[in-house]
Amino acid sequence: MSALATHAGPVTAVHASAYTIPADAPESDGTFAWDQTTLVVVEVEGAGERGLGYTYGDASIGAIATGVLAKAVEGVDALDTGAAHAKADAALRNIGRTGPGAMALSALDVALHDLKARVLGIPLWRMLAAVRDRVPIYGSGGFTSYDNGQLHDQLAGWVGEGIARVKIKVGRDPDRDEHRLDVARAAIGDGVELMVDANGAYDRRQAILWAERYAARGVGWFEEPVTSDDPRGMALVRDRAPGGIEIAAGEYVWREPDALGLIDAVDVLQVDVTRCGGITTALRIDALARARSMPTSIHCAPALSAHAGAAMVTLRHLEYFHDHVRIERMLFDGVAEVGEGGVLVPPADRPGLGLELKHAAAERYRA
């Protein structure tokens, strides 16, 4: 493509496919249990290239992407990701900009950015004006369904890879949680940061009590102590929690107003690139956080999210979530491995995300 070209060619088609992958063991957290995960892949064609994005959710998300969203973006130039996002966002008015609509928009937006970077022949993270070339991660899993051996081995494995922080699920059976913290600490040693995620399992008073107990056991991160639908309660827990523990939430931020609703209630604002509206919205939320001098953390989908994380000024780290790491390695070529110091290094030698769907391997899981 000529360096002086102002048009690459229009987006000509949007495709979607869904794949349901069984978990490698029963999994649960403070408020939910599952034994499988569905990956929804969105691919866009234009300017002689094909871009890829994805989200994790119900297979029905794909129909939104190939329906009203495809109609909105087809014909938009492949370089005009901002215009395409705006048109797709507007097309969701009567469907809803939250939930499945937001997930479809997110996958599409990532695919459009991947397409643009492939047209330009550069890695996506470089196209986004990256502020770093490696993204710190934390190991995440530690499901409440795990026995002591499973919990110990998973956490110790991450530390063995050089990851300096790990997170476990809590809140399903509080009577077991202090023992589980002891198992976790024995697995990781004293020099690794220990984090917990309640997934909204507690009420306000319970969360304040457990914040004190967690802090006393050296936990420095308490995620979703109460439901994110209760920002006043979240703020109360943050204000009453001991000084050594941070309150975090944001994985269900579907759009910018949701981020504003939580930004005054937490110490660290989380962002999910595959839920919030894609790379376009994630970078806007980064700007909101920067205006408040607040750190952010990216939730899940590490192979994709590392590119956005490289461009987020406020980013502290990215969640290296067990299920998503496993699925991305199974179904994509080009997934980055953990680098020295517990980081993901987005590929510098491949355009776009640097990912290719393994169509043959994925077909057996098609939903």
Side-chain angles (χ1 to χ4, degrees), residues 154-190:
Q154 185 182 70
L155 303 187
W158 285 324
V159 174
E161 291 185 76
I163 300 173
R165 52 195 75 82
V166 300
K167 187 175 79 180
I168 70 170
K169 301 292 191 180
V170 295
R172 174 167 291 270
D173 185 0
D175 290 340
R176 293 180 55 230
D177 281 340
E178 290 187 274
H179 173 68
R180 294 177 65 247
L181 288 174
D182 291 339
V183 173
R185 183 57 71 187
I188 66 177
D190 293 332

PDB file of all heavy atoms in Angstrom, residues 154-190:
ATOM      1  N   GLN A 154      -1.291 -25.239  40.415  1.00  0.00           N
ATOM      2  CA  GLN A 154      -1.522 -24.176  39.443  1.00  0.00           C
ATOM      3  C   GLN A 154      -0.743 -22.918  39.806  1.00  0.00           C
ATOM      4  O   GLN A 154      -0.062 -22.317  38.959  1.00  0.00           O
ATOM      5  CB  GLN A 154      -3.008 -23.857  39.348  1.00  0.00           C
ATOM      6  CG  GLN A 154      -3.326 -22.830  38.261  1.00  0.00           C
ATOM      7  CD  GLN A 154      -4.802 -22.501  38.216  1.00  0.00           C
ATOM      8  OE1 GLN A 154      -5.327 -21.862  39.127  1.00  0.00           O
ATOM      9  NE2 GLN A 154      -5.479 -22.931  37.152  1.00  0.00           N
ATOM     10  N   LEU A 155      -0.833 -22.509  41.054  1.00  0.00           N
ATOM     11  CA  LEU A 155      -0.151 -21.283  41.468  1.00  0.00           C
ATOM     12  C   LEU A 155       1.360 -21.439  41.396  1.00  0.00           C
ATOM     13  O   LEU A 155       2.070 -20.543  40.919  1.00  0.00           O
ATOM     14  CB  LEU A 155      -0.569 -20.901  42.885  1.00  0.00           C
ATOM     15  CG  LEU A 155      -2.067 -20.690  43.149  1.00  0.00           C
ATOM     16  CD1 LEU A 155      -2.280 -20.139  44.562  1.00  0.00           C
ATOM     17  CD2 LEU A 155      -2.698 -19.766  42.129  1.00  0.00           C
ATOM     18  N   ALA A 156       1.855 -22.582  41.846  1.00  0.00           N
ATOM     19  CA  ALA A 156       3.301 -22.820  41.781  1.00  0.00           C
ATOM     20  C   ALA A 156       3.791 -22.835  40.345  1.00  0.00           C
ATOM     21  O   ALA A 156       4.911 -22.380  40.042  1.00  0.00           O
ATOM     22  CB  ALA A 156       3.643 -24.134  42.484  1.00  0.00           C
ATOM     23  N   GLY A 157       2.960 -23.340  39.439  1.00  0.00           N
ATOM     24  CA  GLY A 157       3.332 -23.346  38.029  1.00  0.00           C
ATOM     25  C   GLY A 157       3.525 -21.954  37.476  1.00  0.00           C
ATOM     26  O   GLY A 157       4.470 -21.693  36.720  1.00  0.00           O
ATOM     27  N   TRP A 158       2.636 -21.027  37.836  1.00  0.00           N
ATOM     28  CA  TRP A 158       2.790 -19.654  37.357  1.00  0.00           C
ATOM     29  C   TRP A 158       4.061 -19.013  37.922  1.00  0.00           C
ATOM     30  O   TRP A 158       4.779 -18.332  37.190  1.00  0.00           O
ATOM     31  CB  TRP A 158       1.564 -18.827  37.754  1.00  0.00           C
ATOM     32  CG  TRP A 158       0.364 -19.121  36.932  1.00  0.00           C
ATOM     33  CD1 TRP A 158       0.316 -19.422  35.597  1.00  0.00           C
ATOM     34  CD2 TRP A 158      -0.992 -19.159  37.392  1.00  0.00           C
ATOM     35  NE1 TRP A 158      -0.979 -19.630  35.198  1.00  0.00           N
ATOM     36  CE2 TRP A 158      -1.802 -19.477  36.263  1.00  0.00           C
ATOM     37  CE3 TRP A 158      -1.606 -18.943  38.624  1.00  0.00           C
ATOM     38  CZ2 TRP A 158      -3.188 -19.589  36.362  1.00  0.00           C
ATOM     39  CZ3 TRP A 158      -2.987 -19.054  38.713  1.00  0.00           C
ATOM     40  CH2 TRP A 158      -3.764 -19.366  37.597  1.00  0.00           C
ATOM     41  N   VAL A 159       4.308 -19.241  39.190  1.00  0.00           N
ATOM     42  CA  VAL A 159       5.525 -18.680  39.780  1.00  0.00           C
ATOM     43  C   VAL A 159       6.749 -19.256  39.085  1.00  0.00           C
ATOM     44  O   VAL A 159       7.741 -18.545  38.828  1.00  0.00           O
ATOM     45  CB  VAL A 159       5.551 -18.946  41.295  1.00  0.00           C
ATOM     46  CG1 VAL A 159       6.882 -18.499  41.898  1.00  0.00           C
ATOM     47  CG2 VAL A 159       4.395 -18.232  41.991  1.00  0.00           C
ATOM     48  N   GLY A 160       6.688 -20.531  38.737  1.00  0.00           N
ATOM     49  CA  GLY A 160       7.784 -21.154  38.015  1.00  0.00           C
ATOM     50  C   GLY A 160       8.024 -20.549  36.644  1.00  0.00           C
ATOM     51  O   GLY A 160       9.138 -20.605  36.117  1.00  0.00           O
ATOM     52  N   GLU A 161       6.974 -19.946  36.058  1.00  0.00           N
ATOM     53  CA  GLU A 161       7.119 -19.251  34.773  1.00  0.00           C
ATOM     54  C   GLU A 161       7.636 -17.826  34.947  1.00  0.00           C
ATOM     55  O   GLU A 161       7.814 -17.125  33.945  1.00  0.00           O
ATOM     56  CB  GLU A 161       5.773 -19.214  34.046  1.00  0.00           C
ATOM     57  CG  GLU A 161       5.272 -20.540  33.545  1.00  0.00           C
ATOM     58  CD  GLU A 161       3.994 -20.406  32.731  1.00  0.00           C
ATOM     59  OE1 GLU A 161       4.067 -19.974  31.560  1.00  0.00           O
ATOM     60  OE2 GLU A 161       2.911 -20.709  33.277  1.00  0.00           O
ATOM     61  N   GLY A 162       7.842 -17.406  36.187  1.00  0.00           N
ATOM     62  CA  GLY A 162       8.346 -16.062  36.431  1.00  0.00           C
ATOM     63  C   GLY A 162       7.273 -15.032  36.684  1.00  0.00           C
ATOM     64  O   GLY A 162       7.570 -13.825  36.743  1.00  0.00           O
ATOM     65  N   ILE A 163       6.021 -15.457  36.843  1.00  0.00           N
ATOM     66  CA  ILE A 163       4.918 -14.522  37.100  1.00  0.00           C
ATOM     67  C   ILE A 163       4.923 -14.148  38.575  1.00  0.00           C
ATOM     68  O   ILE A 163       4.883 -15.016  39.449  1.00  0.00           O
ATOM     69  CB  ILE A 163       3.575 -15.141  36.685  1.00  0.00           C
ATOM     70  CG1 ILE A 163       3.599 -15.467  35.185  1.00  0.00           C
ATOM     71  CG2 ILE A 163       2.421 -14.199  37.003  1.00  0.00           C
ATOM     72  CD1 ILE A 163       2.375 -16.231  34.689  1.00  0.00           C
ATOM     73  N   ALA A 164       4.937 -12.849  38.851  1.00  0.00           N
ATOM     74  CA  ALA A 164       5.175 -12.354  40.214  1.00  0.00           C
ATOM     75  C   ALA A 164       3.908 -12.047  40.985  1.00  0.00           C
ATOM     76  O   ALA A 164       3.969 -11.522  42.099  1.00  0.00           O
ATOM     77  CB  ALA A 164       6.048 -11.101  40.166  1.00  0.00           C
ATOM     78  N   ARG A 165       2.737 -12.366  40.425  1.00  0.00           N
ATOM     79  CA  ARG A 165       1.475 -12.121  41.134  1.00  0.00           C
ATOM     80  C   ARG A 165       0.460 -13.152  40.662  1.00  0.00           C
ATOM     81  O   ARG A 165       0.430 -13.502  39.482  1.00  0.00           O
ATOM     82  CB  ARG A 165       0.985 -10.691  40.890  1.00  0.00           C
ATOM     83  CG  ARG A 165       0.901 -10.288  39.448  1.00  0.00           C
ATOM     84  CD  ARG A 165       0.765  -8.793  39.226  1.00  0.00           C
ATOM     85  NE  ARG A 165       2.005  -8.102  39.453  1.00  0.00           N
ATOM     86  CZ  ARG A 165       2.975  -8.006  38.546  1.00  0.00           C
ATOM     87  NH1 ARG A 165       2.854  -8.581  37.366  1.00  0.00           N
ATOM     88  NH2 ARG A 165       4.064  -7.343  38.832  1.00  0.00           N
ATOM     89  N   VAL A 166      -0.382 -13.630  41.585  1.00  0.00           N
ATOM     90  CA  VAL A 166      -1.374 -14.650  41.258  1.00  0.00           C
ATOM     91  C   VAL A 166      -2.673 -14.320  41.972  1.00  0.00           C
ATOM     92  O   VAL A 166      -2.688 -13.674  43.023  1.00  0.00           O
ATOM     93  CB  VAL A 166      -0.901 -16.071  41.642  1.00  0.00           C
ATOM     94  CG1 VAL A 166       0.382 -16.435  40.911  1.00  0.00           C
ATOM     95  CG2 VAL A 166      -0.717 -16.189  43.154  1.00  0.00           C
ATOM     96  N   LYS A 167      -3.790 -14.810  41.396  1.00  0.00           N
ATOM     97  CA  LYS A 167      -5.114 -14.529  41.957  1.00  0.00           C
ATOM     98  C   LYS A 167      -5.936 -15.795  42.079  1.00  0.00           C
ATOM     99  O   LYS A 167      -5.917 -16.640  41.183  1.00  0.00           O
ATOM    100  CB  LYS A 167      -5.852 -13.523  41.060  1.00  0.00           C
ATOM    101  CG  LYS A 167      -7.172 -13.015  41.633  1.00  0.00           C
ATOM    102  CD  LYS A 167      -7.769 -11.950  40.735  1.00  0.00           C
ATOM    103  CE  LYS A 167      -8.456 -12.539  39.525  1.00  0.00           C
ATOM    104  NZ  LYS A 167      -9.053 -11.500  38.646  1.00  0.00           N
ATOM    105  N   ILE A 168      -6.669 -15.904  43.206  1.00  0.00           N
ATOM    106  CA  ILE A 168      -7.559 -17.035  43.404  1.00  0.00           C
ATOM    107  C   ILE A 168      -8.987 -16.531  43.629  1.00  0.00           C
ATOM    108  O   ILE A 168      -9.212 -15.385  44.006  1.00  0.00           O
ATOM    109  CB  ILE A 168      -7.123 -17.934  44.580  1.00  0.00           C
ATOM    110  CG1 ILE A 168      -7.339 -17.221  45.927  1.00  0.00           C
ATOM    111  CG2 ILE A 168      -5.673 -18.361  44.426  1.00  0.00           C
ATOM    112  CD1 ILE A 168      -7.164 -18.151  47.128  1.00  0.00           C
ATOM    113  N   LYS A 169      -9.942 -17.419  43.369  1.00  0.00           N
ATOM    114  CA  LYS A 169     -11.347 -17.126  43.598  1.00  0.00           C
ATOM    115  C   LYS A 169     -11.702 -17.392  45.068  1.00  0.00           C
ATOM    116  O   LYS A 169     -11.186 -18.344  45.676  1.00  0.00           O
ATOM    117  CB  LYS A 169     -12.228 -17.993  42.699  1.00  0.00           C
ATOM    118  CG  LYS A 169     -11.969 -17.826  41.209  1.00  0.00           C
ATOM    119  CD  LYS A 169     -12.381 -16.454  40.718  1.00  0.00           C
ATOM    120  CE  LYS A 169     -12.359 -16.396  39.194  1.00  0.00           C
ATOM    121  NZ  LYS A 169     -12.769 -15.059  38.688  1.00  0.00           N
ATOM    122  N   VAL A 170     -12.594 -16.593  45.617  1.00  0.00           N
ATOM    123  CA  VAL A 170     -13.023 -16.750  47.002  1.00  0.00           C
ATOM    124  C   VAL A 170     -14.526 -16.466  47.093  1.00  0.00           C
ATOM    125  O   VAL A 170     -15.138 -15.961  46.150  1.00  0.00           O
ATOM    126  CB  VAL A 170     -12.270 -15.793  47.960  1.00  0.00           C
ATOM    127  CG1 VAL A 170     -10.788 -16.128  48.016  1.00  0.00           C
ATOM    128  CG2 VAL A 170     -12.481 -14.326  47.538  1.00  0.00           C
ATOM    129  N   GLY A 171     -15.111 -16.794  48.253  1.00  0.00           N
ATOM    130  CA  GLY A 171     -16.468 -16.371  48.551  1.00  0.00           C
ATOM    131  C   GLY A 171     -17.547 -17.423  48.418  1.00  0.00           C
ATOM    132  O   GLY A 171     -18.646 -17.244  48.914  1.00  0.00           O
ATOM    133  N   ARG A 172     -17.261 -18.549  47.764  1.00  0.00           N
ATOM    134  CA  ARG A 172     -18.293 -19.586  47.624  1.00  0.00           C
ATOM    135  C   ARG A 172     -18.506 -20.313  48.949  1.00  0.00           C
ATOM    136  O   ARG A 172     -19.650 -20.592  49.341  1.00  0.00           O
ATOM    137  CB  ARG A 172     -17.913 -20.573  46.523  1.00  0.00           C
ATOM    138  CG  ARG A 172     -18.871 -21.764  46.404  1.00  0.00           C
ATOM    139  CD  ARG A 172     -18.652 -22.531  45.117  1.00  0.00           C
ATOM    140  NE  ARG A 172     -19.084 -21.721  43.968  1.00  0.00           N
ATOM    141  CZ  ARG A 172     -20.322 -21.737  43.465  1.00  0.00           C
ATOM    142  NH1 ARG A 172     -21.261 -22.494  44.011  1.00  0.00           N
ATOM    143  NH2 ARG A 172     -20.618 -20.989  42.421  1.00  0.00           N
ATOM    144  N   ASP A 173     -17.426 -20.637  49.599  1.00  0.00           N
ATOM    145  CA  ASP A 173     -17.467 -21.330  50.891  1.00  0.00           C
ATOM    146  C   ASP A 173     -16.500 -20.610  51.818  1.00  0.00           C
ATOM    147  O   ASP A 173     -15.360 -21.042  51.997  1.00  0.00           O
ATOM    148  CB  ASP A 173     -17.085 -22.795  50.703  1.00  0.00           C
ATOM    149  CG  ASP A 173     -17.217 -23.608  51.987  1.00  0.00           C
ATOM    150  OD1 ASP A 173     -17.609 -23.024  53.018  1.00  0.00           O
ATOM    151  OD2 ASP A 173     -16.922 -24.813  51.949  1.00  0.00           O
ATOM    152  N   PRO A 174     -16.923 -19.495  52.411  1.00  0.00           N
ATOM    153  CA  PRO A 174     -16.005 -18.672  53.192  1.00  0.00           C
ATOM    154  C   PRO A 174     -15.275 -19.425  54.296  1.00  0.00           C
ATOM    155  O   PRO A 174     -14.137 -19.062  54.645  1.00  0.00           O
ATOM    156  CB  PRO A 174     -16.917 -17.582  53.767  1.00  0.00           C
ATOM    157  CG  PRO A 174     -18.033 -17.476  52.782  1.00  0.00           C
ATOM    158  CD  PRO A 174     -18.268 -18.882  52.310  1.00  0.00           C
ATOM    159  N   ASP A 175     -15.874 -20.462  54.836  1.00  0.00           N
ATOM    160  CA  ASP A 175     -15.213 -21.205  55.917  1.00  0.00           C
ATOM    161  C   ASP A 175     -13.929 -21.884  55.433  1.00  0.00           C
ATOM    162  O   ASP A 175     -13.057 -22.216  56.244  1.00  0.00           O
ATOM    163  CB  ASP A 175     -16.161 -22.265  56.488  1.00  0.00           C
ATOM    164  CG  ASP A 175     -17.321 -21.650  57.272  1.00  0.00           C
ATOM    165  OD1 ASP A 175     -17.190 -20.481  57.688  1.00  0.00           O
ATOM    166  OD2 ASP A 175     -18.338 -22.346  57.456  1.00  0.00           O
ATOM    167  N   ARG A 176     -13.811 -22.113  54.135  1.00  0.00           N
ATOM    168  CA  ARG A 176     -12.601 -22.740  53.581  1.00  0.00           C
ATOM    169  C   ARG A 176     -11.557 -21.732  53.144  1.00  0.00           C
ATOM    170  O   ARG A 176     -10.394 -22.111  52.917  1.00  0.00           O
ATOM    171  CB  ARG A 176     -12.968 -23.604  52.363  1.00  0.00           C
ATOM    172  CG  ARG A 176     -13.792 -24.833  52.634  1.00  0.00           C
ATOM    173  CD  ARG A 176     -14.064 -25.583  51.335  1.00  0.00           C
ATOM    174  NE  ARG A 176     -12.844 -25.919  50.612  1.00  0.00           N
ATOM    175  CZ  ARG A 176     -12.637 -25.664  49.324  1.00  0.00           C
ATOM    176  NH1 ARG A 176     -13.560 -25.052  48.592  1.00  0.00           N
ATOM    177  NH2 ARG A 176     -11.496 -26.010  48.745  1.00  0.00           N
ATOM    178  N   ASP A 177     -11.937 -20.474  52.998  1.00  0.00           N
ATOM    179  CA  ASP A 177     -11.080 -19.532  52.289  1.00  0.00           C
ATOM    180  C   ASP A 177      -9.779 -19.206  53.018  1.00  0.00           C
ATOM    181  O   ASP A 177      -8.734 -19.037  52.368  1.00  0.00           O
ATOM    182  CB  ASP A 177     -11.844 -18.250  51.963  1.00  0.00           C
ATOM    183  CG  ASP A 177     -12.749 -18.421  50.751  1.00  0.00           C
ATOM    184  OD1 ASP A 177     -12.505 -19.357  49.961  1.00  0.00           O
ATOM    185  OD2 ASP A 177     -13.707 -17.640  50.598  1.00  0.00           O
ATOM    186  N   GLU A 178      -9.803 -19.132  54.331  1.00  0.00           N
ATOM    187  CA  GLU A 178      -8.548 -18.828  55.012  1.00  0.00           C
ATOM    188  C   GLU A 178      -7.551 -19.980  54.862  1.00  0.00           C
ATOM    189  O   GLU A 178      -6.350 -19.752  54.676  1.00  0.00           O
ATOM    190  CB  GLU A 178      -8.821 -18.498  56.479  1.00  0.00           C
ATOM    191  CG  GLU A 178      -9.538 -17.160  56.626  1.00  0.00           C
ATOM    192  CD  GLU A 178      -9.683 -16.706  58.065  1.00  0.00           C
ATOM    193  OE1 GLU A 178     -10.666 -17.116  58.709  1.00  0.00           O
ATOM    194  OE2 GLU A 178      -8.822 -15.938  58.512  1.00  0.00           O
ATOM    195  N   HIS A 179      -8.045 -21.212  54.890  1.00  0.00           N
ATOM    196  CA  HIS A 179      -7.158 -22.346  54.635  1.00  0.00           C
ATOM    197  C   HIS A 179      -6.646 -22.313  53.198  1.00  0.00           C
ATOM    198  O   HIS A 179      -5.455 -22.591  52.952  1.00  0.00           O
ATOM    199  CB  HIS A 179      -7.888 -23.664  54.900  1.00  0.00           C
ATOM    200  CG  HIS A 179      -7.095 -24.870  54.502  1.00  0.00           C
ATOM    201  ND1 HIS A 179      -5.943 -25.249  55.159  1.00  0.00           N
ATOM    202  CD2 HIS A 179      -7.270 -25.767  53.479  1.00  0.00           C
ATOM    203  CE1 HIS A 179      -5.439 -26.324  54.577  1.00  0.00           C
ATOM    204  NE2 HIS A 179      -6.220 -26.659  53.561  1.00  0.00           N
ATOM    205  N   ARG A 180      -7.504 -21.980  52.249  1.00  0.00           N
ATOM    206  CA  ARG A 180      -7.078 -21.898  50.851  1.00  0.00           C
ATOM    207  C   ARG A 180      -6.010 -20.835  50.664  1.00  0.00           C
ATOM    208  O   ARG A 180      -5.086 -20.989  49.849  1.00  0.00           O
ATOM    209  CB  ARG A 180      -8.276 -21.630  49.944  1.00  0.00           C
ATOM    210  CG  ARG A 180      -9.286 -22.786  49.922  1.00  0.00           C
ATOM    211  CD  ARG A 180     -10.509 -22.488  49.084  1.00  0.00           C
ATOM    212  NE  ARG A 180     -10.181 -22.346  47.683  1.00  0.00           N
ATOM    213  CZ  ARG A 180     -10.279 -21.209  46.996  1.00  0.00           C
ATOM    214  NH1 ARG A 180     -10.692 -20.100  47.589  1.00  0.00           N
ATOM    215  NH2 ARG A 180      -9.957 -21.179  45.727  1.00  0.00           N
ATOM    216  N   LEU A 181      -6.104 -19.741  51.412  1.00  0.00           N
ATOM    217  CA  LEU A 181      -5.057 -18.718  51.359  1.00  0.00           C
ATOM    218  C   LEU A 181      -3.738 -19.267  51.887  1.00  0.00           C
ATOM    219  O   LEU A 181      -2.659 -18.943  51.360  1.00  0.00           O
ATOM    220  CB  LEU A 181      -5.472 -17.490  52.163  1.00  0.00           C
ATOM    221  CG  LEU A 181      -6.576 -16.628  51.551  1.00  0.00           C
ATOM    222  CD1 LEU A 181      -6.986 -15.533  52.529  1.00  0.00           C
ATOM    223  CD2 LEU A 181      -6.131 -15.999  50.235  1.00  0.00           C
ATOM    224  N   ASP A 182      -3.804 -20.100  52.921  1.00  0.00           N
ATOM    225  CA  ASP A 182      -2.585 -20.715  53.441  1.00  0.00           C
ATOM    226  C   ASP A 182      -1.963 -21.639  52.394  1.00  0.00           C
ATOM    227  O   ASP A 182      -0.738 -21.657  52.208  1.00  0.00           O
ATOM    228  CB  ASP A 182      -2.898 -21.505  54.713  1.00  0.00           C
ATOM    229  CG  ASP A 182      -3.276 -20.616  55.893  1.00  0.00           C
ATOM    230  OD1 ASP A 182      -2.931 -19.415  55.864  1.00  0.00           O
ATOM    231  OD2 ASP A 182      -3.913 -21.132  56.832  1.00  0.00           O
ATOM    232  N   VAL A 183      -2.812 -22.409  51.702  1.00  0.00           N
ATOM    233  CA  VAL A 183      -2.309 -23.278  50.628  1.00  0.00           C
ATOM    234  C   VAL A 183      -1.663 -22.435  49.533  1.00  0.00           C
ATOM    235  O   VAL A 183      -0.582 -22.767  49.019  1.00  0.00           O
ATOM    236  CB  VAL A 183      -3.462 -24.126  50.050  1.00  0.00           C
ATOM    237  CG1 VAL A 183      -2.990 -24.898  48.818  1.00  0.00           C
ATOM    238  CG2 VAL A 183      -4.008 -25.084  51.100  1.00  0.00           C
ATOM    239  N   ALA A 184      -2.316 -21.340  49.177  1.00  0.00           N
ATOM    240  CA  ALA A 184      -1.787 -20.465  48.130  1.00  0.00           C
ATOM    241  C   ALA A 184      -0.442 -19.881  48.531  1.00  0.00           C
ATOM    242  O   ALA A 184       0.509 -19.879  47.724  1.00  0.00           O
ATOM    243  CB  ALA A 184      -2.787 -19.351  47.835  1.00  0.00           C
ATOM    244  N   ARG A 185      -0.347 -19.395  49.751  1.00  0.00           N
ATOM    245  CA  ARG A 185       0.916 -18.781  50.179  1.00  0.00           C
ATOM    246  C   ARG A 185       2.032 -19.815  50.227  1.00  0.00           C
ATOM    247  O   ARG A 185       3.189 -19.522  49.854  1.00  0.00           O
ATOM    248  CB  ARG A 185       0.720 -18.111  51.545  1.00  0.00           C
ATOM    249  CG  ARG A 185       1.958 -17.382  52.040  1.00  0.00           C
ATOM    250  CD  ARG A 185       2.447 -16.330  51.057  1.00  0.00           C
ATOM    251  NE  ARG A 185       1.563 -15.175  50.982  1.00  0.00           N
ATOM    252  CZ  ARG A 185       1.704 -14.189  50.107  1.00  0.00           C
ATOM    253  NH1 ARG A 185       2.694 -14.224  49.202  1.00  0.00           N
ATOM    254  NH2 ARG A 185       0.869 -13.168  50.087  1.00  0.00           N
ATOM    255  N   ALA A 186       1.722 -21.027  50.655  1.00  0.00           N
ATOM    256  CA  ALA A 186       2.741 -22.075  50.673  1.00  0.00           C
ATOM    257  C   ALA A 186       3.226 -22.389  49.259  1.00  0.00           C
ATOM    258  O   ALA A 186       4.395 -22.717  49.049  1.00  0.00           O
ATOM    259  CB  ALA A 186       2.185 -23.331  51.333  1.00  0.00           C
ATOM    260  N   ALA A 187       2.320 -22.250  48.274  1.00  0.00           N
ATOM    261  CA  ALA A 187       2.684 -22.555  46.886  1.00  0.00           C
ATOM    262  C   ALA A 187       3.560 -21.489  46.262  1.00  0.00           C
ATOM    263  O   ALA A 187       4.423 -21.790  45.436  1.00  0.00           O
ATOM    264  CB  ALA A 187       1.407 -22.736  46.050  1.00  0.00           C
ATOM    265  N   ILE A 188       3.338 -20.228  46.629  1.00  0.00           N
ATOM    266  CA  ILE A 188       3.995 -19.130  45.920  1.00  0.00           C
ATOM    267  C   ILE A 188       5.138 -18.490  46.702  1.00  0.00           C
ATOM    268  O   ILE A 188       5.959 -17.774  46.122  1.00  0.00           O
ATOM    269  CB  ILE A 188       2.977 -18.032  45.534  1.00  0.00           C
ATOM    270  CG1 ILE A 188       2.401 -17.338  46.777  1.00  0.00           C
ATOM    271  CG2 ILE A 188       1.873 -18.621  44.661  1.00  0.00           C
ATOM    272  CD1 ILE A 188       1.438 -16.195  46.463  1.00  0.00           C
ATOM    273  N   GLY A 189       5.213 -18.725  48.002  1.00  0.00           N
ATOM    274  CA  GLY A 189       6.252 -18.096  48.799  1.00  0.00           C
ATOM    275  C   GLY A 189       5.896 -16.670  49.185  1.00  0.00           C
ATOM    276  O   GLY A 189       4.831 -16.154  48.839  1.00  0.00           O
ATOM    277  N   ASP A 190       6.808 -16.037  49.902  1.00  0.00           N
ATOM    278  CA  ASP A 190       6.531 -14.709  50.450  1.00  0.00           C
ATOM    279  C   ASP A 190       6.766 -13.568  49.466  1.00  0.00           C
ATOM    280  O   ASP A 190       6.282 -12.458  49.671  1.00  0.00           O
ATOM    281  CB  ASP A 190       7.393 -14.469  51.698  1.00  0.00           C
ATOM    282  CG  ASP A 190       7.012 -15.384  52.845  1.00  0.00           C
ATOM    283  OD1 ASP A 190       5.832 -15.784  52.897  1.00  0.00           O
ATOM    284  OD2 ASP A 190       7.892 -15.714  53.667  1.00  0.00           O
TER     285      ASP A 190
END
